[in-house]
Amino acid sequence: MEVPRLSQHINSPNSPCEEMIKNLSLESIQLCERDGNKSQDSGIAEMEELPVPHNIKISNITCDSFKISWDMDPKSKDRITHYFIDLNKKENKNSNKFKHKDVPTKLVAKAVPLPMTVRGHWFLSPRTEYTVAVQTASKQVDGDYAVSEWSEIIEFCTADYSKVHLTQLMEKAEAIAGRMLKFSVFYRNQHKEYFDYTQTHHGNVMQPSPKDNSGSHGSPISAKLEGIFFSCNTEFNTGKPPQDSPYGRYRVEIPAEKLFNPNTNLYFGDFYCMYTAYHYVIVVIAPAGSPGDEFCKQRLPQLSLSDNKFLTCTEEEGSLVFRHAQDVILEVIYTDPVDLSWGTVAEIIGHQLMSLSTANAKKDPSCKTCNISVGR
């Protein structure tokens, strides 16, 4: 039985439990801190005979929901009226010590049949580790609660965005993509040492590597999809790649048809910003039938090569014509190795603007343009 979406409340020390759960099936409340294994709230009585949840199982995990169930001793089971759930983000020793701590989420639910769905995008984030423990409770005539001991603490990790979530994100990106401009090359900037190493150690062939953690926290391609990053945006007044770059003073330019053609598939990967007015869209080009193509088919919305709002390849008068969206910065990931001999490598005449790099950049979770109503 699925429980309705949760809503948060602030628990005043003087407010009765009755007000916190009135007319609610599953509501988020601030309970007292646990000391040891039992609740110490002055308004909650302890009753040893209430069964303690054990063998907790977490299933049907998404980016902002999960199902929870457990076993209980049948003794006094019929007296249970509510469940108390203690949900916390797992501590990360590498987290920023200056960032405020995440407030633990305390939930109270009416005793519905198990498994029970817990859903709430304001306290569940995608691809995040959590701990959870459970109490059973019995509401008394005076409004107080008798509670069991806390269950054991278990850990689980939420999932990435699904195709449904990514489609919602894609629709938001389509709304601001703007008109399409022609381009003719994909380009990739790096330091000279990168190209020297590629020539010496990889036979002049650039190799795919795992994508970094930039963009949406729930993106299924972060740290999982292997590919090579390219750009294709052009300057409006010249129709050519910009002279500056955040990534290095050397640039390889590859004719667009070498990477993007009817023998490739195109996928939407992400939409994000970095606390600026600029918005980025990630698309993935994968040769049909390649390992990268199979990875994307399972996880990402597929785009028509000739009819989408971000990157197109159309045949016009016997030749392939390529266009990119004007009002977003496209980040293109190509999933197969790329031979440098397919294009040319040269030093750019502009500047290396490191401040514009998106390497491991974190998405602005407050931006209404590029966020959807699930975990960020």
Side-chain angles (χ1 to χ4, degrees):
M1 177 179 179
E2 182 165 324
V3 178
R5 289 180 177 268
L6 314 180
S7 59
Q8 281 187 311
H9 297 270
I10 299 176
N11 179 24
S12 167
N14 299 319
S15 61
C17 290
E18 176 67 28
E19 288 301 315
M20 289 188 290
I21 65 169
K22 185 178 181 181
N23 300 323
L24 305 177
S25 294
L26 180 57
E27 296 292 334
S28 176
I29 64 171
Q30 181 90 26
L31 298 179
C32 60
E33 291 298 319
R34 285 189 288 154
D35 182 12
N37 201 39
K38 296 182 179 180
S39 174
Q40 301 296 312
D41 191 292
S42 59
I44 297 180
E46 294 178 10
M47 183 171 287
E48 294 294 336
E49 62 264 28
L50 283 176
V52 179
H54 62 277
N55 194 25
I56 297 176
K57 299 182 181 70
I58 303 292
S59 61
N60 296 82
I61 300 172
T62 72
C63 64
D64 65 348
S65 69
F66 62 92
K67 287 189 176 182
I68 184 169
S69 62
W70 56 82
D71 297 331
M72 289 183 292
D73 190 310
K75 179 181 178 182
S76 300
K77 189 175 179 179
D78 58 344
R79 298 186 63 249
I80 298 172
T81 61
H82 292 82
Y83 304 133
F84 292 171
I85 301 173
D86 184 19
L87 181 69
N88 297 278
K89 281 187 179 180
K90 188 177 178 182
E91 290 186 7
N92 182 358
K93 63 182 180 180
N94 297 321
S95 60
N96 186 343
K97 65 181 180 179
F98 296 107
K99 180 180 179 292
H100 68 82
K101 290 186 177 181
D102 291 298
V103 178
T105 301
K106 313 294 185 179
L107 311 171
V108 60
K110 288 184 178 179
V112 297
L114 301 177
M116 176 177 64
T117 297
V118 178
R119 186 189 311 276
H121 65 80
W122 53 88
F123 60 78
L124 283 173
S125 298
R127 200 186 284 198
T128 302
E129 292 183 323
Y130 289 90
T131 63
V132 65
V134 185
Q135 277 181 317
T136 59
S138 177
K139 185 178 179 181
Q140 308 299 292
V141 293
D142 60 1
D144 288 343
Y145 287 83
V147 298
S148 72
E149 294 186 349
W150 284 101
S151 70
E152 75 275 19
I153 298 173
I154 68 163
E155 300 177 359
F156 71 98
C157 185
T158 48
D160 297 330
Y161 284 163
S162 68
K163 281 187 180 181
V164 172
H165 299 123
L166 287 171
T167 299
Q168 294 174 14
L169 201 61
M170 179 180 70
E171 290 170 351
K172 300 203 75 168
E174 289 173 340
I176 69 160
R179 70 183 182 121
M180 305 292 283
L181 301 179
K182 286 185 179 181
F183 74 100
S184 60
V185 297
F186 290 103
Y187 56 94
R188 172 176 172 82
N189 278 70
Q190 280 286 350
H191 301 287
K192 184 176 185 298
E193 291 77 12
Y194 169 84
F195 294 108
D196 291 343
Y197 186 89
T198 298
Q199 185 177 28
T200 304
H201 294 84
H202 294 297
N204 216 40
V205 177
M206 295 185 289
Q207 299 298 318
S209 60
K211 180 193 171 297
D212 65 11
N213 286 308
S214 61
S216 301
H217 189 56
S219 173
I221 63 177
S222 292
K224 294 182 179 179
L225 176 67
E226 293 194 352
I228 304 171
F229 168 83
F230 286 93
S231 299
C232 65
N233 287 81
T234 55
E235 292 182 325
F236 178 75
N237 57 338
T238 66
K240 297 180 179 180
Q243 297 179 356
D244 303 324
S245 170
Y247 302 107
R249 293 197 54 79
Y250 283 78
R251 173 180 293 169
V252 58
E253 293 188 1
I254 307 288
E257 62 269 18
K258 290 285 188 179
L259 305 183
F260 192 32
N261 54 63
N263 295 318
T264 58
N265 287 323
L266 182 67
Y267 300 90
F268 173 83
D270 201 4
F271 177 43
Y272 71 99
C273 70
M274 304 181 298
Y275 302 89
T276 66
Y278 303 111
H279 277 86
Y280 298 81
V281 169
I282 298 177
V283 294
V284 182
I285 300 175
S290 66
D293 189 35
E294 294 304 315
F295 177 97
C296 294
K297 275 184 180 178
Q298 299 175 27
R299 298 168 177 84
L300 306 179
Q302 187 168 352
L303 301 171
S304 164
L305 298 186
S306 60
D307 184 18
N308 70 81
K309 300 290 187 181
F310 311 115
L311 185 71
T312 61
C313 169
T314 56
E315 186 172 345
E316 300 176 17
E317 300 180 352
S319 299
L320 294 179
V321 177
F322 304 92
R323 292 179 174 88
H324 70 82
Q326 174 185 349
D327 295 340
V328 294
I329 299 175
L330 279 181
E331 297 184 318
V332 180
I333 297 175
Y334 186 77
T335 62
D336 269 17
V338 175
D339 197 317
L340 289 174
S341 67
W342 294 357
T344 58
V345 178
E347 187 174 4
I348 61 173
I349 60 176
H351 302 285
Q352 184 176 344
L353 306 175
M354 297 298 294
S355 62
L356 298 181
S357 171
T358 62
N360 289 306
K362 298 306 178 185
K363 180 175 182 174
D364 178 1
S366 65
C367 178
K368 294 181 179 180
T369 300
C370 61
N371 281 294
I372 55 177
S373 295
V374 294
R376 305 295 189 248

